[in-house]
């Protein structure tokens, strides 16, 4: 079984009228229900306002893949929880970052860049192109598909060049965007997936859920390994060696006791 934790900030659903009605139990619940048909997955959810944001040491130790949706409260995510998640990713846990999670502390810390982009919210059409059809995340996904209403995210998306770019978006207004990006950090796999704006019914779309499910399978840890930085004994015998100081200026060299 793949142990999945679906994390959601769960704030828009409590405050904004459209979102409250669209996702009365939260986006995390709709994503979890959408994935429920996959019998390989053992799913739990966690939200910002739970103690330790629902991401205790025990929960993370028992998570193979974490999905992340956040937007208005990135700054409220405690730094020690971010560090805990980052450590687990580097040890091998998979991480799927959705939509506005591009500005989350965890994504930015793993990317090391600003993760900024252009945006516009006018319910325009998005066409998503599958540009790596042989990639496991693209399994069963058509060459292209449309979201009738989307928030536009446009380039430049300030990320490190992805190891693999699986999806590319075109928007009615003319912009393009790298929408499905894969990276590896330490032993862990990371997938950023663009769709997921809270006021549109994105997570009720079966193609979107299928891609998230594929990404979870792709991001499963291959090994899980605590990071160490050991002083290593040589495997072969190395005869005693003197340090060569011959190219150090004489004025310096004469003061080095072993030179
Ligand atoms: Zn949005």
């Amino acid at each position: 079984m793949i142990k999945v934790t679906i994390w959601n900030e769960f704030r828009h659903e409590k405050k904004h009228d459209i979102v409250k009605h669209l996702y009365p139990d939260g986006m995390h619940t709709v994503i979890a229900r959408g994935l429920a048909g996959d019998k390989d997955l053992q799913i739990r959810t966690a939200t910002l306002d739970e103690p330790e944001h629902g991401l205790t040491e025990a929960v993370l130790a028992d998570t193979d893949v974490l999905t992340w949706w956040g937007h208005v409260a990135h700054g409220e995510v405690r730094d020690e929880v971010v560090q805990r998640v980052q450590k687990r990713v580097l040890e091998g846990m998979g991480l799927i970052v959705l939509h506005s999670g591009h500005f989350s502390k965890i994504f930015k810390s793993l990317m090391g860049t600003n993760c900024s982009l252009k945006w516009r919210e006018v319910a325009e059409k998005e066409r998503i192109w599958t540009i790596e059809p042989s990639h496991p995340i693209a399994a069963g996904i058509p060459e292209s598909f449309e979201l009738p209403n989307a928030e536009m995210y446009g380039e430049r998306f300030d990320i490190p060049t992805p190891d693999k770019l699986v999806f590319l978006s075109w928007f009615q207004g003319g912009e393009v965007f790298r929408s499905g990006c894969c990276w590896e950090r330490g032993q862990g796999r990371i997938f950023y997936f663009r769709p997921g704006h809270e006021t549109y019914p994105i997570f009720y779309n079966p193609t979107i859920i299928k891609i998230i499910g594929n990404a979870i399978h792709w991001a499963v840890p291959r090994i899980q390994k605590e990071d160490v930085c050991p002083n290593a004994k040589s495997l072969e015998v190395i005869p005693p060696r003197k340090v060569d100081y011959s190219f150090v200026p004489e004025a310096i060299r004469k003061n080095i006791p072993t030179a």
Side-chain angles (χ1 to χ4, degrees):
M1 293 295 279
I2 303 169
K3 293 171 179 174
V4 183
T5 300
I6 297 177
W7 191 88
N8 182 17
E9 177 183 280
F10 198 23
R11 287 285 176 82
H12 286 282
E13 296 95 324
K14 294 172 184 165
K15 288 180 186 159
H16 301 147
D17 216 30
I18 294 171
V19 190
K20 203 185 285 182
H21 289 96
L22 187 56
Y23 295 109
D25 301 318
M27 282 180 267
H28 53 295
T29 308
V30 171
I31 296 169
R33 283 186 200 133
L35 294 169
D38 185 340
K39 297 304 171 204
D40 294 336
L41 307 184
Q42 187 180 309
I43 299 171
R44 63 153 71 88
T45 62
T47 56
L48 179 67
D49 292 328
E50 293 172 35
E52 300 184 54
H53 312 322
L55 299 175
T56 60
E57 295 274 8
V59 165
L60 286 175
D62 195 41
T63 297
D64 294 315
V65 181
L66 174 68
T67 76
W68 193 279
W69 195 103
H71 182 223
V72 284
H74 292 318
E76 291 181 46
V77 178
R78 281 161 46 195
D79 290 339
E80 71 250 41
V81 175
V82 176
Q83 280 163 15
R84 194 183 288 166
V85 172
Q86 181 179 27
K87 179 172 179 287
R88 282 286 295 135
V89 172
L90 298 177
E91 286 172 1
M93 183 182 76
L95 178 69
I96 316 289
V97 176
L98 300 168
H99 188 60
S100 40
H102 73 90
F103 258 171
S104 61
K105 288 181 183 176
I106 182 59
F107 188 61
K108 289 169 84 168
S109 69
L110 286 161
M111 294 296 110
T113 55
N114 294 309
C115 302
S116 49
L117 45 78
K118 293 197 188 88
W119 62 279
R120 174 174 64 236
E121 198 182 334
V122 295
E124 69 201 271
K125 182 166 83 174
E126 174 179 5
R127 184 174 293 138
I128 300 179
W129 287 91
T130 305
I131 60 172
E132 290 291 352
S134 65
H135 195 279
I137 299 179
I141 306 302
E143 182 185 31
S144 79
F145 64 98
E146 289 180 11
L147 298 177
N149 305 108
E151 177 185 19
M152 185 282 293
Y153 275 10
E155 298 283 349
R156 175 177 154 80
F157 185 18
D158 187 32
I159 47 171
T161 301
D163 299 336
K164 204 67 147 177
L165 180 60
V166 183
F167 300 109
L168 189 64
S169 288
W170 168 90
F171 293 87
Q172 201 172 355
E175 287 86 355
V176 294
F177 192 77
R178 288 168 290 173
S179 276
C181 308
C182 303
W183 295 270
E184 295 192 358
R185 290 289 184 272
Q187 314 300 333
R189 285 178 162 178
I190 301 165
F191 182 62
Y192 173 79
F193 190 42
R194 196 216 76 81
H197 186 65
E198 67 277 3
T199 61
Y200 308 132
I202 304 294
F203 294 121
Y204 290 99
N205 182 315
T207 306
I208 298 297
I209 293 295
K210 168 96 177 137
I211 290 170
I212 295 171
N214 285 351
I216 289 168
H217 280 264
W218 169 80
V220 164
R222 292 144 300 162
I223 59 167
Q224 303 210 41
K225 211 164 166 279
E226 193 144 359
D227 184 53
V228 289
C229 192
N231 181 282
K233 280 200 160 58
S234 67
L235 303 180
E236 310 287 336
V237 176
I238 305 171
R241 290 176 62 77
K242 283 198 72 158
V243 178
D244 179 5
Y245 293 102
S246 62
F247 47 87
V248 175
E250 170 61 24
I252 304 277
R253 190 170 67 222
K254 70 177 195 308
N255 297 322
I256 300 172
T258 56

